[in-house]
Amino acid sequence: MPRTLDPRDPYHIDNPARVKAIQLEMRKQGLDVYLGSRIRTLTWTLDAFIPWRSYVVIPAEGPPTLFTFVIDAARLADESWLDEDHVRAYAPMGGMDQISAVSDFIREELRLRKGRLGYEDGMATYTAEGNLTHYEFTRFKEALDGFEFVNAHEIVDSLSIIKDSGTINRFRKASLIVDEGHKAARAALENGGFKGMTEAVIGGIAALAMRRAGSVSEWNFAGLNEISSGYRTGLGACTPPTNKEIRAGEPLMLDFHAMFQLALGDHSHNYLIAPATPRQRWHADNFVALVQAVLANYRAGTTPSMLAQVMMDLAESRDCADFVVPGCEHGIGLFGDEWRIGAKNDGPFPYWTDPDHTYQVDEMVICAMQYACPAEGIGFRYENPLLILEDGCEAMSKYPLAIEEIG
Amino acid sequence: MSETFKYLSPEWAEEGLKRLKTQIPAEKMHNVTTSMSNIYTNCPGGGERYLFIGTEQGVFTRVEVGEGEPPPAEFRIIGEYETFARITRAELGAQRAMMTGKLKLKGNMAKALKLAALADRMNKVLATIPAEY
C-alpha cells in the first residue's frame, strides 16, 4: 500500500504539487520528459529513502515513475506516495536492465519517440550525488535516439531551495534527535567513562540513542557520525571515526548525524577531556566566540562571503585567524542534498557554493565552522541546521553552545 | 494414443485453456486478474505470432493465439519461437531464458516478480499438451 499523504500531519509534504512545479518548469524549458538520477531529486519528488541506484521519469503531465533495483521495489511501493504501477524494478533480465526498462517506458508507455529529455549531470564533493554516469548517458542516448539530452538539474535545485513547513518541522525533529545523541555521548564520557573508549564506540553510543529517539540513519554518504580526538581534531574537517582511544588532556570533536523522515540532523559539539591547558582553553574560547558572532549575523539578505568576513574579522582581532578554516556553512535539504549553497550553478567555481548567494527567508543552511591548529594537535567544529528568518535565524539544535572540560 | 496438437494452433490454445482451467484452481493463481502476451519472433515460415493468456480473479478466461499485434496485456514477453518452444518442451527454464536475455519482459517488473511462480505453473501445464512443433 502506498503511503497516504495527510495535510494535517505536521511533517506533511505536498509531493504531487512538487511534481507539478517541476512539470511547469519543464514546459518553460521545452522539456518533454525529465530523467532524474540524483538522490536529492529522488528524495525531493518521491519522499522516500532510496539508497540504491534509481531513476525517476517525470512526464510532461501526470505522476512520475520510479525505477529502482529489484530487491527494493516492493518496499518503495509501500513507503513512497506512488502507487504500485508507478514503482518499477530493474534487474539483469531480458528487457529489464535499467537502460531498457527506462527507455522502453519512455518510448512505449509515454509514447515519446523524440523530444527534449532533461537529465542530471555535474559534480559534487561526495560520491553518492547520483549524476548520470558517462556509461549511462551513452547507453540512454543510444536507446533514446531522436531525443535531445539537456542537463536540467537546476530545475530541482531551484525548486528545493526554499523549505516548506513540513520539511522545516522534519528538520526541527531531526535536530532534537541529534541532541539526544549528544546527551548520551556526554553521559558516557563523563566521570572517567571516556577511558578506554574509542572514537568509533562513542559514535555508536550516540547512534543508538538517536535511533531510539526516531532516527533511521547516520547518513551513509558522510561516513556516518564524524568523530575525531586528540591530534586528529587539528586535521581540519576530519570525518570518519577510527579506533583511536579518547585520552585525557585531548580535545574531542563529536559531529552527529540523524535522519528523520529524510530530514538531516547535523550538530557538532566539542569537548576538552580534562585536564585542559590554558592554551587549549584559549583556542576553545576563540572558537565559541567565533561561532556566536557568525550565528548572530545569519539573516535574509546576507551572503556566505559576508558571513566569512564577519568570522575572519573577529578571528583577526583575537589573533587566531591562522587557525580558522575558510567558509562557515554548507547547504542542506532532504537526504542527498547536503553540499553547495545556491540553486543556480553560476558561482566562480562550478558546483561549489556561490559566495554571493543572497539568503532568503525559509532557506536552510548548516552553519559549519572549523578551527584547526595541527601544530598543537587541536581543532574544533561547529555545525547546526539554521532556518533563515527575516531578522535572524533559528538554530535547530538546542544543545548548548560551549566547549566544556569534562573528565 | 492421445491427440497431438500443432503448437500455437487454435486447437492447441483451446486445449491449453481447458487444462489450465481444470489443473490450476483460482486460489493457486492467488485470485489474480492479469494478462500476458508472449510474442514469438522468427516463427517457422516467418513473421510473428502471439500467445495471449488472461485471468480474472484467478480463473483462466482466455488463451488465444494469432499473428501480428496481440491484444493489450499487462505484460509482454518477447522472444524467438524456438526459445518459447524449448521452454514449453521443458528443455529450457523460463527464469534462465529471462536471465540470459533470450526473453524480454515489458511491463512492471516489480509486479511481474509476484507472478513469476504463477507463470511457471502455467508453463508446466501447457508443457503437458502433446504438441507438434
Side-chain angles (χ1 to χ4, degrees):
Chain A
M1 281 288 289
R3 185 159 47 85
T4 304
L5 301 175
D6 180 0
R8 296 165 301 177
D9 184 337
Y11 306 119
H12 169 72
I13 289 174
D14 189 348
N15 296 110
R18 286 184 172 182
V19 172
K20 284 183 179 152
I22 292 172
Q23 289 167 329
L24 181 62
E25 288 303 312
M26 286 168 60
R27 278 197 288 282
K28 287 180 189 168
Q29 297 188 23
L31 296 175
D32 300 289
V33 62
Y34 190 98
L35 172 60
S37 59
R38 296 179 306 166
I39 293 179
R40 70 174 64 193
T41 301
L42 297 160
T43 302
W44 195 77
T45 53
L46 306 178
D47 201 9
F49 188 13
I50 307 175
W52 294 100
R53 182 51 158 171
S54 301
Y55 313 85
V56 59
V57 177
I58 304 175
E61 286 181 357
T65 298
L66 169 69
F67 291 82
T68 194
F69 184 26
V70 63
I71 64 163
D72 214 18
R75 177 190 68 83
L76 281 164
D78 186 59
E79 293 183 8
S80 82
W81 59 277
L82 298 175
D83 62 33
E84 196 181 28
D85 283 335
H86 293 88
V87 178
R88 307 288 180 98
Y90 66 78
M93 290 187 173
M96 284 295 128
D97 67 279
Q98 47 272 63
I99 304 297
S100 301
V102 170
S103 54
D104 286 355
F105 175 81
I106 290 171
R107 283 186 174 281
E108 293 168 18
E109 296 195 45
L110 297 183
R111 299 183 185 282
L112 292 173
R113 297 288 162 175
K114 59 181 182 176
R116 282 164 56 88
L117 178 148
Y119 74 105
E120 299 184 325
D121 194 9
M123 63 179 183
T125 50
Y126 60 100
T127 310
E129 178 80 358
N131 290 308
L132 217 57
T133 67
H134 179 261
Y135 179 81
E136 289 169 320
F137 177 83
T138 307
R139 294 289 316 280
F140 277 125
K141 283 276 279 181
E142 288 166 1
L144 293 165
D145 185 31
F147 282 82
E148 179 189 354
F149 279 53
V150 180
N151 190 4
H153 65 78
E154 285 186 1
I155 291 178
V156 171
D157 297 351
S158 298
L159 292 170
S160 60
I161 199 160
I162 301 294
K163 308 301 190 265
D164 54 32
S165 63
T167 301
I168 292 167
N169 285 336
R170 292 181 186 195
F171 269 94
R172 288 189 179 116
K173 175 73 173 173
S175 298
L176 296 178
I177 288 172
V178 168
D179 289 355
E180 294 303 311
H182 279 292
K183 287 178 199 168
R186 192 187 188 290
L189 291 165
E190 64 187 357
N191 300 321
F194 71 88
K195 291 174 186 168
M197 191 179 285
T198 64
E199 295 171 358
V201 167
I202 194 67
I205 288 168
L208 178 59
M210 292 189 291
R211 292 207 175 201
R212 282 181 169 147
S215 173
V216 296
S217 171
E218 293 81 51
W219 312 6
N220 47 324
F221 56 82
L224 308 175
N225 287 330
E226 301 175 50
I227 321 286
S228 57
S229 64
Y231 80 96
R232 296 184 74 247
T233 62
L235 300 178
C238 187
T239 56
T242 68
N243 286 325
K244 179 188 173 306
E245 285 190 9
I246 298 164
R247 294 206 175 87
E250 291 188 342
L252 174 64
M253 181 194 292
L254 303 178
D255 178 0
F256 294 154
H257 298 155
M259 188 165 87
F260 174 76
Q261 293 192 12
L262 301 166
L264 304 173
D266 185 8
H267 178 50
S268 302
H269 193 77
N270 306 273
Y271 294 100
L272 295 171
I273 305 296
T277 66
R279 179 70 175 172
Q280 286 177 319
R281 190 70 256 166
W282 178 78
H283 282 304
D285 292 345
N286 284 338
F287 187 63
V288 171
L290 290 169
V291 172
Q292 286 170 332
V294 170
L295 286 177
N297 280 276
Y298 270 104
R299 61 176 56 82
T302 55
T303 66
S305 57
M306 288 162 66
L307 292 158
Q309 196 59 53
V310 166
M311 178 176 72
M312 292 312 295
D313 287 349
L314 181 61
E316 205 61 57
S317 73
R318 294 182 72 103
D319 202 22
C320 64
D322 288 347
F323 312 126
V324 175
V325 178
C328 38
E329 65 257 287
H330 67 75
I332 199 72
L334 298 176
F335 180 68
D337 177 2
E338 194 263 346
W339 198 251
R340 69 191 173 93
I341 291 165
K344 295 288 179 189
N345 188 30
D346 54 3
F349 302 101
Y351 295 100
W352 286 90
T353 284
D354 175 5
D356 297 324
H357 170 74
T358 303
Y359 288 118
Q360 308 162 80
V361 171
D362 288 342
E363 273 189 54
M364 285 196 64
V365 62
I366 301 289
C367 174
M369 297 174 58
Q370 274 142 182
Y371 185 105
C373 180
E376 297 175 42
I378 189 168
F380 307 105
R381 181 195 300 175
Y382 178 80
E383 286 189 304
N384 198 341
L386 307 181
L387 176 66
I388 303 295
L389 306 172
E390 190 69 45
D391 297 315
C393 69
E394 175 189 334
M396 290 194 171
S397 166
K398 305 303 180 192
Y399 206 72
L401 169 60
I403 299 180
E404 294 175 84
E405 185 177 335
I406 60 171
Chain B
M1 192 172 146
S2 61
E3 189 183 356
T4 299
F5 300 88
K6 182 153 179 60
Y7 185 52
L8 294 186
S9 65
E11 296 75 23
W12 179 89
E14 194 180 325
E15 179 66 16
L17 179 60
K18 195 165 72 184
R19 290 188 185 216
L20 288 169
K21 271 183 168 171
T22 54
Q23 294 181 33
I24 308 182
E27 57 270 26
K28 273 279 187 190
M29 289 298 289
H30 304 326
N31 301 307
V32 72
T33 298
T34 188
S35 55
M36 176 179 81
S37 281
N38 290 350
I39 297 162
Y40 297 66
T41 61
N42 283 335
C43 292
E48 289 188 359
R49 306 188 70 180
Y50 66 80
L51 164 63
F52 174 91
I53 300 175
T55 67
E56 282 178 25
Q57 297 184 316
V59 177
F60 286 91
T61 53
R62 294 167 69 186
V63 174
E64 296 169 14
V65 292
E67 291 180 6
E69 188 64 20
E74 189 172 19
F75 305 104
R76 288 156 67 102
I77 300 174
I78 302 158
E80 296 205 351
Y81 173 94
E82 188 51 31
T83 301
F84 282 112
R86 288 181 64 203
I87 291 168
T88 308
R89 292 194 300 258
E91 296 168 6
L92 173 67
Q95 297 271 351
R96 179 165 166 69
M98 290 293 293
M99 291 171 76
T100 53
K102 288 184 176 1
L103 293 182
K104 289 186 178 166
L105 172 69
K106 306 270 186 185
N108 187 342
M109 187 179 175
K111 274 184 166 180
L113 278 182
K114 296 176 190 169
L115 304 178
L118 308 186
D120 222 37
R121 255 167 236 157
M122 288 190 291
N123 281 333
K124 281 178 182 157
V125 170
L126 295 177
T128 63
I129 304 172
E132 174 195 330
Y133 293 90

